[in-house]
Amino acid sequence: MKTVLVTGGVRGIGLSIALAFLQKGYRTCVTYSKDERSAEKARAAGLEVYRADVRKEADVAATLEKIGGVDVLVNNAGVAMFKQVQDVSVEEFDDLFAVNMRGAFLCVKYAVPKMIERKSGLIVNISSVWGEIGGSCESVYSASKGALIAFTKALASELGYSGIRVNTVSPGVIDTAMNARLTADDLAALTEDIPVGRLGKGEDVAKAVVFLEENEYVTGIDLPVNGGFSIV
Protein backbone atom coordinates (compact mmCIF):
# COMPACT_ATOMS: atom_id res chain seq x y z
CA MET A 1 0.00 0.00 0.00
CA LYS A 2 1.34 3.41 -0.97
CA THR A 3 1.53 6.18 1.63
CA VAL A 4 0.62 9.80 0.91
CA LEU A 5 1.17 12.82 3.14
CA VAL A 6 -0.90 15.96 2.59
CA THR A 7 0.18 18.94 4.67
CA GLY A 8 -2.64 21.17 5.84
CA GLY A 9 -4.93 18.29 5.02
CA VAL A 10 -7.78 18.58 7.51
CA ARG A 11 -9.87 21.14 5.64
CA GLY A 12 -10.31 22.91 2.32
CA ILE A 13 -8.29 21.84 -0.69
CA GLY A 14 -6.00 19.69 1.42
CA LEU A 15 -8.87 17.65 2.80
CA SER A 16 -10.30 17.11 -0.69
CA ILE A 17 -6.91 15.83 -1.88
CA ALA A 18 -6.53 13.56 1.15
CA LEU A 19 -10.00 12.06 0.75
CA ALA A 20 -9.39 11.40 -2.94
CA PHE A 21 -6.31 9.33 -2.11
CA LEU A 22 -8.09 7.58 0.76
CA GLN A 23 -10.86 6.53 -1.63
CA LYS A 24 -8.21 5.05 -3.94
CA GLY A 25 -6.90 2.86 -1.13
CA TYR A 26 -3.80 4.79 -0.10
CA ARG A 27 -2.59 5.02 3.46
CA THR A 28 -3.40 8.71 3.81
CA CYS A 29 -1.68 10.96 6.35
CA VAL A 30 -2.39 14.64 6.93
CA THR A 31 -0.95 17.40 9.08
CA TYR A 32 -2.53 20.38 10.76
CA SER A 33 -1.27 23.09 13.11
CA LYS A 34 -4.20 24.46 15.13
CA ASP A 35 -7.66 23.41 13.98
CA GLU A 36 -8.53 20.63 16.44
CA ARG A 37 -12.17 20.46 15.37
CA SER A 38 -11.28 19.80 11.74
CA ALA A 39 -8.58 17.37 12.84
CA GLU A 40 -11.14 15.28 14.71
CA LYS A 41 -13.41 15.20 11.68
CA ALA A 42 -10.47 14.10 9.53
CA ARG A 43 -9.70 11.26 11.95
CA ALA A 44 -13.34 10.19 11.86
CA ALA A 45 -13.12 10.07 8.06
CA GLY A 46 -10.28 7.54 8.29
CA LEU A 47 -7.23 9.77 7.83
CA GLU A 48 -4.04 9.50 9.89
CA VAL A 49 -3.73 12.92 11.51
CA TYR A 50 -0.51 14.47 12.83
CA ARG A 51 -0.15 17.83 14.51
CA ALA A 52 2.87 19.60 13.03
CA ASP A 53 3.87 23.18 12.30
CA VAL A 54 5.54 23.01 8.90
CA ARG A 55 7.55 26.13 9.76
CA LYS A 56 9.46 24.14 12.38
CA GLU A 57 12.15 21.71 11.31
CA ALA A 58 11.78 19.55 14.44
CA ASP A 59 8.05 19.11 13.83
CA VAL A 60 8.54 18.11 10.21
CA ALA A 61 11.40 15.73 10.95
CA ALA A 62 9.48 14.04 13.78
CA THR A 63 6.33 13.66 11.67
CA LEU A 64 8.13 12.04 8.73
CA GLU A 65 9.90 9.74 11.18
CA LYS A 66 6.58 8.67 12.72
CA ILE A 67 5.02 8.03 9.33
CA GLY A 68 8.06 6.08 8.20
CA GLY A 69 8.44 7.51 4.71
CA VAL A 70 5.99 8.50 2.01
CA ASP A 71 5.45 7.63 -1.63
CA VAL A 72 3.56 10.85 -2.37
CA LEU A 73 4.13 14.20 -0.69
CA VAL A 74 1.59 16.97 -1.28
CA ASN A 75 2.80 20.33 0.05
CA ASN A 76 -0.56 22.00 0.52
CA ALA A 77 -0.18 23.89 3.82
CA GLY A 78 -0.34 27.59 3.16
CA VAL A 79 -1.54 30.98 4.33
CA ALA A 80 -2.84 33.94 2.34
CA MET A 81 -2.50 37.67 2.77
CA PHE A 82 -4.47 40.49 1.20
CA LYS A 83 -2.61 43.76 1.79
CA GLN A 84 -0.95 46.50 -0.17
CA VAL A 85 2.79 45.94 -0.12
CA GLN A 86 3.57 49.05 1.96
CA ASP A 87 1.28 47.77 4.71
CA VAL A 88 2.97 44.38 5.05
CA SER A 89 5.25 44.16 8.05
CA VAL A 90 8.57 42.33 7.90
CA GLU A 91 7.21 39.87 10.46
CA GLU A 92 4.16 39.14 8.28
CA PHE A 93 6.40 38.67 5.24
CA ASP A 94 8.67 36.26 7.08
CA ASP A 95 5.79 34.25 8.53
CA LEU A 96 4.02 33.88 5.19
CA PHE A 97 7.19 32.65 3.49
CA ALA A 98 7.90 30.40 6.45
CA VAL A 99 4.63 28.54 5.89
CA ASN A 100 4.30 28.68 2.11
CA MET A 101 7.91 28.17 1.06
CA ARG A 102 10.05 27.01 3.99
CA GLY A 103 7.36 24.50 4.98
CA ALA A 104 7.51 22.92 1.54
CA PHE A 105 11.31 22.91 1.61
CA LEU A 106 11.41 21.19 5.02
CA CYS A 107 8.91 18.52 4.01
CA VAL A 108 10.87 17.80 0.83
CA LYS A 109 14.15 17.72 2.77
CA TYR A 110 12.89 15.03 5.13
CA ALA A 111 10.77 13.04 2.66
CA VAL A 112 13.29 12.75 -0.15
CA PRO A 113 15.94 10.46 1.44
CA LYS A 114 13.59 7.46 1.62
CA MET A 115 12.28 8.23 -1.86
CA ILE A 116 15.85 8.14 -3.16
CA GLU A 117 16.40 4.79 -1.41
CA ARG A 118 13.34 3.36 -3.19
CA LYS A 119 14.15 5.13 -6.48
CA SER A 120 10.56 6.36 -6.70
CA GLY A 121 8.29 9.08 -5.40
CA LEU A 122 6.07 12.00 -6.27
CA ILE A 123 6.07 15.51 -4.84
CA VAL A 124 3.22 17.89 -5.66
CA ASN A 125 3.47 21.50 -4.54
CA ILE A 126 0.20 23.41 -4.36
CA SER A 127 0.80 26.90 -5.73
CA SER A 128 -1.82 29.38 -6.99
CA VAL A 129 -2.92 31.23 -10.08
CA TRP A 130 -1.42 34.29 -8.37
CA GLY A 131 1.93 32.53 -8.35
CA GLU A 132 1.62 32.35 -12.14
CA ILE A 133 0.28 35.80 -13.02
CA GLY A 134 0.44 37.86 -9.78
CA GLY A 135 -2.43 39.36 -7.83
CA SER A 136 -2.99 42.99 -6.90
CA CYS A 137 -2.76 43.49 -3.12
CA GLU A 138 -1.39 39.95 -2.87
CA SER A 139 2.19 40.64 -3.91
CA VAL A 140 3.82 38.79 -1.02
CA TYR A 141 1.47 35.81 -1.33
CA SER A 142 2.03 35.77 -5.10
CA ALA A 143 5.80 35.84 -4.59
CA SER A 144 5.69 32.88 -2.21
CA LYS A 145 3.59 30.85 -4.62
CA GLY A 146 5.77 31.83 -7.56
CA ALA A 147 8.76 30.61 -5.56
CA LEU A 148 7.04 27.21 -5.24
CA ILE A 149 6.77 26.95 -9.01
CA ALA A 150 10.49 27.70 -9.44
CA PHE A 151 11.30 25.26 -6.61
CA THR A 152 9.28 22.58 -8.41
CA LYS A 153 11.08 22.98 -11.72
CA ALA A 154 14.51 22.88 -10.09
CA LEU A 155 13.62 19.84 -7.99
CA ALA A 156 12.24 17.99 -11.01
CA SER A 157 15.61 18.39 -12.68
CA GLU A 158 17.56 17.56 -9.53
CA LEU A 159 15.58 14.50 -8.46
CA GLY A 160 14.41 13.01 -11.73
CA TYR A 161 17.41 10.73 -12.10
CA SER A 162 16.57 9.29 -8.67
CA GLY A 163 13.13 8.25 -9.90
CA ILE A 164 11.31 11.14 -8.18
CA ARG A 165 8.83 13.30 -10.03
CA VAL A 166 7.97 16.84 -8.92
CA ASN A 167 5.03 18.91 -10.16
CA THR A 168 2.98 21.93 -9.20
CA VAL A 169 -0.78 22.35 -9.21
CA SER A 170 -1.94 25.97 -9.30
CA PRO A 171 -5.60 26.42 -8.30
CA GLY A 172 -7.60 29.44 -9.32
CA VAL A 173 -10.53 30.76 -7.31
CA ILE A 174 -11.62 27.78 -5.23
CA ASP A 175 -14.69 27.84 -3.02
CA THR A 176 -12.99 27.38 0.38
CA ALA A 177 -12.74 29.24 3.69
CA MET A 178 -9.60 30.98 2.43
CA ASN A 179 -11.87 33.14 0.28
CA ALA A 180 -14.22 34.01 3.17
CA ARG A 181 -13.09 37.65 3.02
CA LEU A 182 -14.72 37.99 -0.42
CA THR A 183 -18.26 39.37 -0.62
CA ALA A 184 -21.00 37.87 -2.75
CA ASP A 185 -20.43 40.69 -5.26
CA ASP A 186 -16.68 39.94 -5.30
CA LEU A 187 -17.35 36.28 -6.01
CA ALA A 188 -19.88 37.11 -8.71
CA ALA A 189 -17.37 39.41 -10.42
CA LEU A 190 -14.68 36.75 -10.27
CA THR A 191 -17.05 34.15 -11.66
CA GLU A 192 -17.70 36.38 -14.67
CA ASP A 193 -13.96 36.25 -15.42
CA ILE A 194 -13.85 32.43 -15.37
CA PRO A 195 -14.57 30.97 -18.82
CA VAL A 196 -16.19 27.79 -17.47
CA GLY A 197 -18.62 29.96 -15.51
CA ARG A 198 -18.15 28.75 -11.94
CA LEU A 199 -15.80 28.79 -8.98
CA GLY A 200 -13.55 25.80 -8.50
CA LYS A 201 -14.11 23.05 -5.97
CA GLY A 202 -11.61 21.23 -3.81
CA GLU A 203 -12.43 18.10 -5.76
CA ASP A 204 -11.25 19.78 -8.98
CA VAL A 205 -7.79 20.25 -7.46
CA ALA A 206 -7.81 16.74 -6.00
CA LYS A 207 -8.43 15.22 -9.42
CA ALA A 208 -5.41 17.08 -10.79
CA VAL A 209 -3.17 15.78 -8.03
CA VAL A 210 -4.38 12.21 -8.53
CA PHE A 211 -3.75 12.58 -12.28
CA LEU A 212 -0.14 13.50 -11.54
CA GLU A 213 0.24 10.42 -9.37
CA GLU A 214 -1.19 8.16 -12.07
CA ASN A 215 0.80 9.52 -15.02
CA GLU A 216 4.40 8.49 -14.45
CA TYR A 217 5.73 10.41 -17.46
CA VAL A 218 4.82 13.87 -16.18
CA THR A 219 7.32 15.90 -14.20
CA GLY A 220 8.45 19.52 -13.88
CA ILE A 221 5.10 21.01 -14.89
CA ASP A 222 2.82 23.63 -13.40
CA LEU A 223 -0.74 22.41 -13.90
CA PRO A 224 -3.31 25.25 -13.75
CA VAL A 225 -6.69 24.28 -12.29
CA ASN A 226 -8.61 27.51 -12.69
CA GLY A 227 -11.41 27.11 -15.24
CA GLY A 228 -9.48 29.23 -17.72
CA PHE A 229 -9.15 32.21 -15.35
CA SER A 230 -5.49 32.79 -16.22
CA ILE A 231 -6.07 32.99 -19.98
CA VAL A 232 -8.68 35.76 -19.89
Side-chain angles (χ1 to χ4, degrees):
M1 179 187 297
K2 284 188 175 183
T3 298
V4 57
L5 171 62
V6 183
T7 65
V10 300
R11 62 184 182 181
I13 289 172
L15 179 60
S16 293
I17 294 170
L19 292 176
F21 277 104
L22 184 68
Q23 290 166 6
K24 292 183 70 66
Y26 286 63
R27 175 194 174 199
T28 307
C29 308
V30 297
T31 67
Y32 75 105
S33 60
K34 296 176 181 177
D35 190 345
E36 294 290 349
R37 185 174 181 181
S38 293
E40 283 303 315
K41 290 181 179 179
R43 288 189 187 95
L47 303 173
E48 285 188 34
V49 182
Y50 297 85
R51 185 167 187 172
D53 186 339
V54 296
R55 298 172 299 179
K56 299 178 179 178
E57 184 174 8
D59 278 19
V60 173
T63 300
L64 267 298
E65 182 67 24
K66 290 175 185 174
I67 293 171
V70 298
D71 299 285
V72 181
L73 168 65
V74 182
N75 285 311
N76 169 75
V79 293
M81 182 186 299
F82 188 79
K83 280 189 175 184
Q84 292 186 322
V85 67
Q86 68 270 22
D87 296 326
V88 178
S89 70
V90 172
E91 291 77 17
E92 288 173 324
F93 177 96
D94 287 345
D95 188 64
L96 187 142
F97 264 81
V99 177
N100 293 359
M101 186 61 235
R102 187 170 73 204
F105 155 72
L106 287 172
C107 290
V108 168
K109 175 180 173 66
Y110 284 96
V112 156
K114 288 190 181 297
M115 290 183 175
I116 291 175
E117 287 179 12
R118 293 192 301 266
K119 297 293 183 183
S120 68
L122 171 68
I123 298 166
V124 180
N125 297 315
I126 304 300
S127 181
S128 167
V129 63
W130 301 133
E132 298 171 319
I133 64 175
S136 176
C137 296
E138 297 190 74
S139 58
V140 175
Y141 175 74
S142 298
S144 71
K145 291 299 189 177
L148 273 179
I149 295 172
F151 187 51
T152 293
K153 292 180 182 297
L155 283 177
S157 178
E158 179 178 333
L159 299 174
Y161 295 100
S162 297
I164 302 167
R165 296 181 297 113
V166 191
N167 294 291
T168 303
V169 170
S170 291
V173 185
I174 307 298
D175 189 12
T176 69
M178 190 172 280
N179 290 316
R181 64 174 177 79
L182 299 174
T183 67
D185 288 342
D186 291 334
L187 293 173
L190 282 169
T191 301
E192 289 182 1
D193 290 333
I194 299 172
V196 302
R198 67 169 176 86
L199 301 182
K201 301 175 183 178
E203 291 81 359
D204 296 318
V205 183
K207 289 176 183 177
V209 177
V210 170
F211 161 77
L212 293 172
E213 160 63 0
E214 293 177 342
N215 193 321
E216 297 180 352
Y217 203 59
V218 177
T219 192
I221 70 162
D222 171 42
L223 177 57
V225 182
N226 60 38
F229 182 71
S230 62
I231 61 174
V232 175

